[in-house]
Amino acid sequence: MMYRDLRNRVMVAALIAGAMVTAPFSALGQKASPVAPREEQVRSVVTRAYDVYKSDTSGKNADYIPFLAQVDSSMFGVAVVSTDNKVFTTGEIKYSFSIQSISKVFTLALALEELGPDRVFQRVGSEPTGRAFNSPIAVVDMPSHTANPLVNAGAIATTSLISGANADEKWNKILAFYSKAAGEKLSLIDEVYKSEAATNDGNKALSYLLKKYERIYADPFESVDIYTKQCSVGVNVEQLARMGATLANNGVNPVTGERVIKAENIPYILSAMMMAGLYDGSGGWAWKVGLPAKSGVGGGIVAVMPGKGAIAVFSPRLDDAGNSVKAQKVIEYVSKNLDYNLFTPGSVGLK
Ligand code: GLN
């Protein structure tokens, strides 16, 4: 278990140097949110949630991607990163798991940077499907065919929007963008990519269905390949929480201070997460937790508390919708106990 407070370290260093500390933190991030819970509260509630759920073994690893079936299902890690760059982590924090569908959020963010919200909305849309994340029936039935950027069909269409002279240039741009959101260089987990590329016929079928409806904007198989790579990017829980904290911090990475996403794009990304971040589990999630979040079949979930920070949990056992069971339970517990639920007036200070 580890708690780091960069601000204190900087202040102490400045005091030791005998400097006047007037605005010690301005270079590192924003001031603490006036309505965010205090760091001791965060630490104690997250630690309790970790202890309550650590021996829960419900759910099972994804197995339609062979690599994921053999990941140690007992791994369990939690990270919280605040918009003022306080970090709290517990459990398995070193393991790099594949980001999987959580990547969809950040490719959407990149598409918004490049095309702006109107054109992305026109080309992809933003309606829930009420069906599994990889449903071909949804592609046929939904009036937009693409549905939204967070189900596979809409995500592949979103990936196809990213500009570049060739597939490598597009892929490198996506990876560099994710790395900026995480505040450090991320890379592809080659074994995951190979395992998924050998078994992604369903996604290829979706891309060709989209072609039939003229709802894919580059070569279908090239787009699926880039999408498969983006899903195979490795992150540990802290990196994932930092990516979420960049969204919570209005697009500025709270660790590096770099602007990654235009502030005006943040509401579109968070609303897409609220509406479809946990697929056909999204309604129940909104009801119980009230936070924009995104899951991946690698076992990660990241939830965003706008203006306050983000929580990421990794645990590979999934429910039937493809969402990590333990991650959902931990985030629900934390959201309830720290008044994070956005639909609670207490979350913005009304007591
Ligand atoms: N790469 C996975 C797929 O395309 C992502 C799905 C997910 O994480 N829900 O099936």
Side-chain angles (χ1 to χ4, degrees):
M1 218 169 279
M2 174 164 79
Y3 190 79
R4 284 193 270 123
D5 185 335
L6 274 177
R7 174 161 63 169
N8 284 347
R9 273 200 245 153
V10 171
M11 286 173 77
V12 168
L15 284 167
I16 290 171
M20 286 287 291
V21 185
T22 44
F25 199 41
S26 53
L28 285 175
Q30 296 194 337
K31 286 221 292 269
S33 156
V35 292
R38 293 193 318 275
E39 52 191 87
E40 316 79 74
Q41 291 175 298
V42 174
R43 184 185 323 163
S44 106
V45 169
V46 173
T47 307
R48 245 186 297 137
Y50 184 86
D51 289 340
V52 169
Y53 295 112
K54 69 171 180 267
S55 40
D56 188 317
T57 57
S58 34
K60 67 180 194 49
N61 285 31
D63 55 10
Y64 74 99
I65 299 170
F67 182 91
L68 297 180
Q70 44 85 37
V71 167
D72 175 1
S73 46
S74 68
M75 285 191 286
F76 181 30
V78 184
V80 178
V81 175
S82 69
T83 50
D84 60 345
N85 193 25
K86 294 185 193 333
V87 181
F88 176 70
T89 57
T90 184
E92 175 52 72
I93 57 167
K94 294 246 173 337
Y95 183 77
S96 265
F97 51 95
S98 53
I99 189 168
Q100 293 297 341
S101 274
I102 305 167
S103 67
K104 294 166 177 167
V105 171
F106 295 91
T107 300
L108 166 63
L110 179 56
L112 287 166
E113 292 296 301
E114 291 199 332
L115 284 91
D118 291 346
R119 284 196 284 169
V120 173
F121 184 73
Q122 213 178 45
R123 286 163 176 73
V124 183
S126 188
E127 298 305 332
T129 66
R131 294 192 181 267
F133 61 81
N134 48 8
S135 169
I137 297 162
V139 179
V140 176
D141 278 358
M142 299 292 291
S144 72
H145 306 294
T146 37
N148 69 68
L150 303 185
V151 292
N152 286 14
I156 295 165
T158 306
T159 299
S160 79
L161 290 173
I162 304 303
S163 66
N166 53 47
D168 274 350
E169 202 177 297
K170 295 176 191 179
W171 156 241
N172 287 325
K173 187 196 279 184
I174 290 172
L175 184 62
F177 186 77
Y178 292 6
S179 300
K180 275 203 287 179
E184 69 189 91
K185 198 172 174 313
L186 301 178
S187 42
L188 181 83
I189 309 175
D190 206 45
E191 288 164 283
V192 175
Y193 168 63
K194 290 204 173 98
S195 177
E196 188 160 345
T199 51
N200 64 356
D201 298 313
N203 286 334
K204 287 182 183 147
L206 292 179
S207 75
Y208 251 78
L209 258 186
L210 291 176
K211 185 169 189 300
K212 163 182 151 85
Y213 296 112
E214 299 179 0
R215 294 290 281 176
I216 191 153
Y217 309 101
D219 177 76
F221 284 1
E222 175 195 283
S223 304
V224 171
D225 189 53
I226 299 172
Y227 164 83
T228 305
K229 283 188 175 140
Q230 74 178 48
C231 289
S232 308
V233 168
V235 285
N236 60 42
V237 263
E238 186 176 334
Q239 290 166 334
L240 183 58
R242 274 196 240 127
M243 294 175 89
T246 299
L247 297 170
N249 199 31
N250 232 359
V252 175
N253 183 311
V255 183
T256 61
E258 185 180 3
R259 172 158 300 284
V260 184
I261 301 164
K262 289 189 193 97
E264 64 261 33
N265 290 339
I266 297 294
Y268 302 106
I269 301 165
L270 296 184
S271 66
M273 292 168 77
M274 191 76 241
M275 197 258 325
L278 273 78
Y279 309 113
D280 38 335
S282 300
W285 177 261
W287 182 276
K288 288 187 276 188
V289 185
L291 286 174
K294 185 72 204 83
S295 62
V297 290
I301 299 186
V302 63
V304 178
M305 294 77 80
K308 298 176 184 172
I311 177 168
V313 183
F314 165 60
S315 168
R317 293 193 188 95
L318 312 179
D319 65 12
D320 290 342
N323 301 315
S324 166
V325 177
K326 262 203 310 230
Q328 290 178 80
K329 289 180 179 168
V330 167
I331 299 171
E332 179 179 350
Y333 184 100
V334 170
S335 170
K336 283 215 166 80
N337 285 282
L338 291 175
D339 243 352
Y340 277 146
N341 185 324
L342 288 186
F343 306 112
T344 312
S347 71
V348 285
L350 187 65
K351 299 293 173 200

PDB file of all heavy atoms in Angstrom, residues 64-65 100-101 104 133 152 196 203 227 231 279 295-297, ligand 1:
ATOM      1  N   TYR A  64     -12.921 -15.695 -24.879  1.00  0.00           N
ATOM      2  CA  TYR A  64     -13.003 -15.670 -26.345  1.00  0.00           C
ATOM      3  C   TYR A  64     -11.723 -15.104 -26.960  1.00  0.00           C
ATOM      4  O   TYR A  64     -11.487 -15.239 -28.151  1.00  0.00           O
ATOM      5  CB  TYR A  64     -14.262 -14.916 -26.802  1.00  0.00           C
ATOM      6  CG  TYR A  64     -14.191 -13.410 -26.658  1.00  0.00           C
ATOM      7  CD1 TYR A  64     -13.891 -12.615 -27.753  1.00  0.00           C
ATOM      8  CD2 TYR A  64     -14.416 -12.791 -25.434  1.00  0.00           C
ATOM      9  CE1 TYR A  64     -13.814 -11.235 -27.632  1.00  0.00           C
ATOM     10  CE2 TYR A  64     -14.348 -11.425 -25.306  1.00  0.00           C
ATOM     11  CZ  TYR A  64     -14.043 -10.650 -26.402  1.00  0.00           C
ATOM     12  OH  TYR A  64     -13.959  -9.287 -26.282  1.00  0.00           O
ATOM     13  N   ILE A  65     -10.898 -14.462 -26.122  1.00  0.00           N
ATOM     14  CA  ILE A  65      -9.540 -14.095 -26.540  1.00  0.00           C
ATOM     15  C   ILE A  65      -8.631 -15.031 -25.743  1.00  0.00           C
ATOM     16  O   ILE A  65      -8.549 -14.916 -24.512  1.00  0.00           O
ATOM     17  CB  ILE A  65      -9.233 -12.611 -26.224  1.00  0.00           C
ATOM     18  CG1 ILE A  65     -10.212 -11.702 -26.987  1.00  0.00           C
ATOM     19  CG2 ILE A  65      -7.780 -12.270 -26.557  1.00  0.00           C
ATOM     20  CD1 ILE A  65     -10.176 -10.236 -26.581  1.00  0.00           C
ATOM     21  N   GLN A 100      -8.074  -3.139 -23.468  1.00  0.00           N
ATOM     22  CA  GLN A 100      -9.275  -3.599 -24.177  1.00  0.00           C
ATOM     23  C   GLN A 100     -10.228  -2.439 -24.478  1.00  0.00           C
ATOM     24  O   GLN A 100      -9.806  -1.421 -24.961  1.00  0.00           O
ATOM     25  CB  GLN A 100      -9.946  -4.744 -23.399  1.00  0.00           C
ATOM     26  CG  GLN A 100      -9.084  -5.999 -23.364  1.00  0.00           C
ATOM     27  CD  GLN A 100      -8.839  -6.608 -24.732  1.00  0.00           C
ATOM     28  OE1 GLN A 100      -9.562  -6.331 -25.690  1.00  0.00           O
ATOM     29  NE2 GLN A 100      -7.801  -7.422 -24.879  1.00  0.00           N
ATOM     30  N   SER A 101     -11.505  -2.603 -24.129  1.00  0.00           N
ATOM     31  CA  SER A 101     -12.497  -1.617 -24.572  1.00  0.00           C
ATOM     32  C   SER A 101     -12.329  -0.237 -23.944  1.00  0.00           C
ATOM     33  O   SER A 101     -12.957   0.714 -24.408  1.00  0.00           O
ATOM     34  CB  SER A 101     -13.898  -2.116 -24.244  1.00  0.00           C
ATOM     35  OG  SER A 101     -14.342  -2.926 -25.283  1.00  0.00           O
ATOM     36  N   LYS A 104     -11.448   2.525 -26.226  1.00  0.00           N
ATOM     37  CA  LYS A 104     -12.456   3.194 -27.070  1.00  0.00           C
ATOM     38  C   LYS A 104     -12.680   4.642 -26.638  1.00  0.00           C
ATOM     39  O   LYS A 104     -12.934   5.517 -27.463  1.00  0.00           O
ATOM     40  CB  LYS A 104     -13.786   2.427 -27.001  1.00  0.00           C
ATOM     41  CG  LYS A 104     -13.723   1.027 -27.616  1.00  0.00           C
ATOM     42  CD  LYS A 104     -14.942   0.188 -27.231  1.00  0.00           C
ATOM     43  CE  LYS A 104     -14.946  -1.175 -27.894  1.00  0.00           C
ATOM     44  NZ  LYS A 104     -15.938  -2.096 -27.312  1.00  0.00           N
ATOM     45  N   PHE A 133     -21.787  -6.023 -26.357  1.00  0.00           N
ATOM     46  CA  PHE A 133     -20.892  -5.032 -26.963  1.00  0.00           C
ATOM     47  C   PHE A 133     -20.486  -5.366 -28.397  1.00  0.00           C
ATOM     48  O   PHE A 133     -20.092  -4.487 -29.147  1.00  0.00           O
ATOM     49  CB  PHE A 133     -19.640  -4.825 -26.096  1.00  0.00           C
ATOM     50  CG  PHE A 133     -18.789  -6.054 -25.892  1.00  0.00           C
ATOM     51  CD1 PHE A 133     -17.878  -6.457 -26.857  1.00  0.00           C
ATOM     52  CD2 PHE A 133     -18.885  -6.792 -24.720  1.00  0.00           C
ATOM     53  CE1 PHE A 133     -17.079  -7.578 -26.663  1.00  0.00           C
ATOM     54  CE2 PHE A 133     -18.098  -7.914 -24.516  1.00  0.00           C
ATOM     55  CZ  PHE A 133     -17.197  -8.308 -25.491  1.00  0.00           C
ATOM     56  N   ASN A 152     -18.413  -2.255 -29.999  1.00  0.00           N
ATOM     57  CA  ASN A 152     -17.369  -2.580 -30.983  1.00  0.00           C
ATOM     58  C   ASN A 152     -17.587  -1.936 -32.348  1.00  0.00           C
ATOM     59  O   ASN A 152     -16.656  -1.374 -32.932  1.00  0.00           O
ATOM     60  CB  ASN A 152     -17.243  -4.097 -31.133  1.00  0.00           C
ATOM     61  CG  ASN A 152     -16.562  -4.722 -29.926  1.00  0.00           C
ATOM     62  OD1 ASN A 152     -16.431  -4.070 -28.882  1.00  0.00           O
ATOM     63  ND2 ASN A 152     -16.141  -5.968 -30.050  1.00  0.00           N
ATOM     64  N   GLU A 196      -5.557 -11.994 -30.060  1.00  0.00           N
ATOM     65  CA  GLU A 196      -6.834 -11.385 -30.471  1.00  0.00           C
ATOM     66  C   GLU A 196      -6.940 -11.296 -31.997  1.00  0.00           C
ATOM     67  O   GLU A 196      -8.016 -11.535 -32.563  1.00  0.00           O
ATOM     68  CB  GLU A 196      -6.949 -10.001 -29.829  1.00  0.00           C
ATOM     69  CG  GLU A 196      -8.302  -9.392 -30.044  1.00  0.00           C
ATOM     70  CD  GLU A 196      -8.645  -8.270 -29.066  1.00  0.00           C
ATOM     71  OE1 GLU A 196      -7.960  -8.124 -28.041  1.00  0.00           O
ATOM     72  OE2 GLU A 196      -9.613  -7.564 -29.353  1.00  0.00           O
ATOM     73  N   ASN A 203     -15.271  -9.215 -35.135  1.00  0.00           N
ATOM     74  CA  ASN A 203     -15.052  -7.783 -35.374  1.00  0.00           C
ATOM     75  C   ASN A 203     -14.876  -7.498 -36.866  1.00  0.00           C
ATOM     76  O   ASN A 203     -15.309  -6.457 -37.365  1.00  0.00           O
ATOM     77  CB  ASN A 203     -13.846  -7.284 -34.573  1.00  0.00           C
ATOM     78  CG  ASN A 203     -14.180  -7.159 -33.097  1.00  0.00           C
ATOM     79  OD1 ASN A 203     -15.345  -6.975 -32.734  1.00  0.00           O
ATOM     80  ND2 ASN A 203     -13.177  -7.266 -32.236  1.00  0.00           N
ATOM     81  N   TYR A 227      -7.784  -1.170 -34.445  1.00  0.00           N
ATOM     82  CA  TYR A 227      -8.638  -1.318 -33.261  1.00  0.00           C
ATOM     83  C   TYR A 227      -8.129  -2.460 -32.359  1.00  0.00           C
ATOM     84  O   TYR A 227      -8.076  -2.339 -31.135  1.00  0.00           O
ATOM     85  CB  TYR A 227     -10.091  -1.572 -33.718  1.00  0.00           C
ATOM     86  CG  TYR A 227     -10.990  -2.107 -32.643  1.00  0.00           C
ATOM     87  CD1 TYR A 227     -11.607  -1.259 -31.723  1.00  0.00           C
ATOM     88  CD2 TYR A 227     -11.211  -3.487 -32.521  1.00  0.00           C
ATOM     89  CE1 TYR A 227     -12.408  -1.757 -30.716  1.00  0.00           C
ATOM     90  CE2 TYR A 227     -12.019  -3.999 -31.523  1.00  0.00           C
ATOM     91  CZ  TYR A 227     -12.614  -3.138 -30.622  1.00  0.00           C
ATOM     92  OH  TYR A 227     -13.408  -3.642 -29.614  1.00  0.00           O
ATOM     93  N   CYS A 231      -6.735  -2.147 -28.477  1.00  0.00           N
ATOM     94  CA  CYS A 231      -7.268  -2.946 -27.359  1.00  0.00           C
ATOM     95  C   CYS A 231      -6.150  -3.706 -26.635  1.00  0.00           C
ATOM     96  O   CYS A 231      -6.315  -4.120 -25.486  1.00  0.00           O
ATOM     97  CB  CYS A 231      -8.293  -3.960 -27.861  1.00  0.00           C
ATOM     98  SG  CYS A 231      -9.839  -3.205 -28.397  1.00  0.00           S
ATOM     99  N   TYR A 279     -21.677  -1.250 -21.312  1.00  0.00           N
ATOM    100  CA  TYR A 279     -22.525  -1.964 -22.276  1.00  0.00           C
ATOM    101  C   TYR A 279     -23.946  -2.124 -21.776  1.00  0.00           C
ATOM    102  O   TYR A 279     -24.504  -1.195 -21.233  1.00  0.00           O
ATOM    103  CB  TYR A 279     -21.905  -3.332 -22.620  1.00  0.00           C
ATOM    104  CG  TYR A 279     -20.479  -3.211 -23.003  1.00  0.00           C
ATOM    105  CD1 TYR A 279     -19.475  -3.726 -22.215  1.00  0.00           C
ATOM    106  CD2 TYR A 279     -20.124  -2.535 -24.167  1.00  0.00           C
ATOM    107  CE1 TYR A 279     -18.153  -3.595 -22.578  1.00  0.00           C
ATOM    108  CE2 TYR A 279     -18.806  -2.390 -24.526  1.00  0.00           C
ATOM    109  CZ  TYR A 279     -17.827  -2.928 -23.725  1.00  0.00           C
ATOM    110  OH  TYR A 279     -16.533  -2.787 -24.074  1.00  0.00           O
ATOM    111  N   SER A 295     -15.420  -0.095 -18.995  1.00  0.00           N
ATOM    112  CA  SER A 295     -14.843  -1.398 -18.665  1.00  0.00           C
ATOM    113  C   SER A 295     -14.116  -1.970 -19.871  1.00  0.00           C
ATOM    114  O   SER A 295     -14.345  -1.549 -21.005  1.00  0.00           O
ATOM    115  CB  SER A 295     -15.970  -2.352 -18.281  1.00  0.00           C
ATOM    116  OG  SER A 295     -16.824  -2.507 -19.407  1.00  0.00           O
ATOM    117  N   GLY A 296     -13.259  -2.946 -19.608  1.00  0.00           N
ATOM    118  CA  GLY A 296     -12.617  -3.703 -20.679  1.00  0.00           C
ATOM    119  C   GLY A 296     -12.590  -5.170 -20.304  1.00  0.00           C
ATOM    120  O   GLY A 296     -12.506  -5.491 -19.108  1.00  0.00           O
ATOM    121  N   VAL A 297     -12.621  -6.067 -21.294  1.00  0.00           N
ATOM    122  CA  VAL A 297     -12.639  -7.497 -20.967  1.00  0.00           C
ATOM    123  C   VAL A 297     -11.304  -7.991 -20.403  1.00  0.00           C
ATOM    124  O   VAL A 297     -11.203  -9.130 -19.968  1.00  0.00           O
ATOM    125  CB  VAL A 297     -13.081  -8.384 -22.158  1.00  0.00           C
ATOM    126  CG1 VAL A 297     -14.562  -8.202 -22.466  1.00  0.00           C
ATOM    127  CG2 VAL A 297     -12.213  -8.166 -23.380  1.00  0.00           C
TER     128      VAL A 297
HETATM  129  N1  GLN B   1     -10.931  -6.261 -27.939  1.00  0.00           N
HETATM  130  C1  GLN B   1     -12.190  -6.656 -27.407  1.00  0.00           C
HETATM  131  C2  GLN B   1     -13.156  -7.011 -28.522  1.00  0.00           C
HETATM  132  O1  GLN B   1     -13.100  -6.410 -29.547  1.00  0.00           O
HETATM  133  C3  GLN B   1     -12.723  -5.556 -26.564  1.00  0.00           C
HETATM  134  C4  GLN B   1     -14.046  -5.857 -25.941  1.00  0.00           C
HETATM  135  C5  GLN B   1     -14.211  -5.350 -24.552  1.00  0.00           C
HETATM  136  O2  GLN B   1     -13.263  -5.038 -23.828  1.00  0.00           O
HETATM  137  N2  GLN B   1     -15.441  -5.333 -24.111  1.00  0.00           N
HETATM  138  O3  GLN B   1     -13.947  -7.901 -28.403  1.00  0.00           O
END
